[in-house]
């Protein structure tokens, strides 16, 4: 958490409010800002304000050859794990600052969490959003109780305006980063996972630009059991964490995406504290493709009835992609940290994932334009137990012989094996059939 406007004074005051039950620390000297005692204090303080989310055995376990437990942080009120760090920070602020209020400038999960918990604590809260923000996010933030102001066409415009309002009115401008208070709140996830799943072998977290959850939870888990493997997962398109670990400092030259699908996965906001904790305590960081994330979203929707976004699905994506073969036969917890997928993206993600999973396919073939030929094709599809999603006929622009029709079919199958069976059956009857690759 980056606190701007009287930054150091407020942060020092917030840290002084954390109970110090012991002078012993489980972290190395380079990690002075966060201790296990701080995480325990955060867990006690926020227990009435956030959900203790379930960590449940998943039916996906048999499919991937390991005991998978899903920590369902997307069940938090705002659909995000960010509530933990935000609530602990807000309750740690001085009372005079709580009376004046706070201000944020983004449409991220962090801003949603600030809007909700500040309102619940009766702290005046202002959220500055650019005019390009999806209307659903603006509506949701207002329903949480925040005063939402649309300003500027870019995120930078909104941030500049928010800082100006903070200076003029005495608000505290909050920007997600990696203070000890924020990391301690996020680290409570590690405590809960350890309590809920006995004999854990590994825990998988989302990583990328915002690795505070990974760093804070690693501090808790490694203190409780150093033998538990802590693994971070980020996108191949934005390997921010891997590049920063290699360089030894947070990198600023990584390209990031403004597409809402990626959310915090492609951010560049973590700081040196998170990076030091990650480098010291995290056992492995892997990267996955966008295709793996989409299939992971599909798996969670089908097997868990969980609608999650890219950040929420990216941990499972490492298992789906086979990036962690050493976990076969092990007991593994995966943190599903966010469920804020925009509705307009949901349909696109599902449709694309079904295609990538070889369960929606398309083919075209040329038939004579005679009664009964289409019926024979449909009989083959029915015999192969496929579901016809769409069928189109083209007569005018067919380049083959006269009195023929080009038929294009989109069908749904059970899985990759079923798709191969259908393809063989069609080629046997129609040798010139053209299968459209994904």
């Amino acid at each position: 958490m980056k606190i701007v406007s009287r930054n150091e004074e407020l942060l020092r005051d917030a840290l002084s409010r954390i109970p110090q039950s012991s002078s012993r620390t489980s972290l190395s000297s380079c990690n002075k800002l966060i201790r296990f005692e701080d995480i325990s204090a955060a867990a006690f303080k926020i227990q009435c304000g956030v959900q203790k989310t379930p960590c449940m055995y998943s039916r996906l376990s048999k499919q991937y050859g390991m005991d998978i437990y899903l920590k369902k942080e997307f069940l938090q009120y705002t659909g995000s794990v960010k509530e933990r760090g935000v609530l602990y920070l807000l309750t740690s602020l001085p009372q005079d600052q709580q009376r004046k209020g706070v201000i944020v400038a983004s449409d991220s999960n962090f801003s949603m969490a600030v809007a909700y918990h500040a309102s619940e604590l009766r702290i005046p809260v202002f959220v500055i959003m650019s005019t390009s923000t999806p209307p659903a996010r603006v509506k949701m933030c207002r329903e949480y109780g925040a005063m939402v102001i649309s300003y500027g066409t870019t995120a930078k415009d909104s941030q500049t305006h928010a800082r100006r309002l903070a200076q003029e009115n005495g608000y505290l401008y909050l920007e997600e980063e990696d203070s000890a208070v924020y990391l301690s709140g996020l680290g409570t996830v590690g405590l809960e996972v350890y309590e809920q799943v006995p004999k854990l072998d590994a825990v998988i977290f989302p990583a990328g630009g915002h690795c505070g959850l990974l760093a804070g939870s690693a501090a808790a888990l490694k203190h409780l059991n150093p033998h538990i493997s802590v693994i971070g997962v980020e996108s191949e398109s934005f390997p921010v964490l891997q590049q920063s670990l290699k360089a030894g400092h947070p990198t600023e030259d990584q390209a990031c995406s403004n597409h809402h699908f990626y959310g915090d996965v492609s951010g560049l906001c973590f700081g040196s504290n998170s990076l030091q904790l990650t480098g010291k305590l995290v056992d492995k960081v892997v990267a996955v493709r966008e295709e793996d994330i989409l299939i992971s979203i599909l798996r969670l929707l089908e097997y868990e009835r969980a609608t999650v976004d890219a950040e929420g699905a990216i941990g499972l994506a490492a298992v789906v992609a086979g990036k962690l073969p050493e976990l076969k036969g092990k007991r593994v917890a995966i943190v599903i940290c966010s469920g804020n997928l925009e509705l307009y993206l949901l349909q696109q993600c599902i449709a694309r994932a079904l295609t990538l999973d070889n369960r929606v396919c398309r083919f075209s073939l040329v038939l004579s334009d005679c009664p009964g030929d289409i019926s024979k094709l449909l009989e083959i599809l029915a015999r192969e137990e496929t579901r016809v999603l769409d069928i189109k006929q083209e007569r005018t622009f067919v380049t083959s012989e006269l009195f023929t029709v080009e038929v294009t079919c989109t069908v749904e199958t059970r899985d990759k094996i079923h798709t191969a069976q259908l393809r063989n059956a069609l080629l046997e009857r129609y040798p010139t059939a053209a299968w459209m690759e994904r």
Side-chain angles (χ1 to χ4, degrees), residues 11-175:
L11 180 55
R12 192 184 313 114
D13 186 84
L15 284 170
S16 68
R17 295 166 183 266
I18 301 175
Q20 306 294 328
S21 57
S22 170
S23 60
R24 187 176 70 87
T25 177
S26 62
L27 305 180
S28 68
S29 59
C30 68
N31 302 316
K32 296 177 181 178
L33 283 180
I34 180 172
R35 307 181 309 159
F36 179 77
E37 289 79 2
D38 301 335
I39 299 171
S40 299
F44 178 79
K45 196 165 186 178
I46 69 174
Q47 62 182 328
C48 295
V50 298
Q51 296 290 328
K52 185 174 183 179
T53 56
C55 191
M56 302 172 62
Y57 182 78
S58 173
R59 290 191 296 129
L60 290 165
S61 300
K62 294 181 180 179
Q63 187 170 347
Y64 295 106
M66 61 187 74
D67 290 334
I68 297 175
Y69 292 81
L70 300 179
K71 178 63 171 169
K72 300 185 177 181
E73 281 298 302
F74 66 92
L75 295 178
Q76 297 292 352
Y77 190 85
T78 65
S80 171
V81 71
K82 301 294 175 67
E83 288 189 30
R84 294 174 178 269
V86 165
L87 178 58
Y88 192 42
L89 174 83
L90 292 175
T91 55
S92 300
L93 292 176
Q95 289 187 357
D96 63 331
Q97 188 60 61
Q98 291 186 20
R99 286 192 295 270
K100 292 178 181 178
V102 296
I103 189 168
V104 291
S106 75
D107 60 352
S108 64
N109 290 335
F110 171 76
S111 292
M112 296 293 173
V114 172
Y116 171 65
H117 282 291
S119 298
E120 289 293 297
L121 294 170
R122 298 188 177 181
I123 299 174
V125 54
F126 304 86
V127 181
I128 313 300
M129 293 182 171
S130 68
T131 54
S132 60
T133 302
R137 290 241 164 184
V138 176
K139 178 184 176 185
M140 190 68 69
C141 209
R142 284 181 175 143
E143 289 178 351
Y144 288 150
M147 172 67 72
V148 180
I149 302 172
S150 295
Y151 184 92
T153 57
T154 66
K156 188 174 181 180
D157 293 338
S158 301
Q159 292 164 5
T160 301
H161 187 59
R163 287 190 176 95
R164 184 167 62 250
L165 291 176
Q167 291 177 352
E168 293 174 354
N169 300 280
Y171 308 138
L172 179 64
Y173 176 72
L174 300 179
E175 185 177 7

Side-chain angles (χ1 to χ4, degrees), residues 315-357:
L316 179 62
V319 175
V320 170
K323 292 295 183 75
L324 301 169
E326 69 274 15
L327 298 184
K328 292 287 185 180
K330 300 293 182 65
R331 181 169 289 200
V332 181
I334 303 175
V335 180
I336 312 298
C337 66
S338 177
N340 291 319
L341 183 64
E342 303 292 344
L343 290 178
Y344 74 93
L345 281 176
L346 178 60
Q347 185 177 6
Q348 297 178 47
C349 289
I350 294 173
R352 183 61 178 153
L354 286 168
T355 303
L356 292 167
D357 206 26

Side-chain angles (χ1 to χ4, degrees), residues 209-221:
H210 295 269
C211 64
L213 173 62
L214 172 65
S217 296
L221 288 166

Side-chain angles (χ1 to χ4, degrees), residues 292-333:
D292 302 320
I293 299 174
L294 287 170
I295 291 177
S296 178
I297 289 174
L298 180 64
R299 294 285 186 270
L300 289 167
L301 185 61
E302 283 191 305
Y303 285 82
E304 299 293 332
R305 299 297 182 261
T307 305
V308 303
D309 54 22
E311 188 181 8
I314 198 169
L316 179 62
V319 175
V320 170
K323 292 295 183 75
L324 301 169
E326 69 274 15
L327 298 184
K328 292 287 185 180
K330 300 293 182 65
R331 181 169 289 200
V332 181

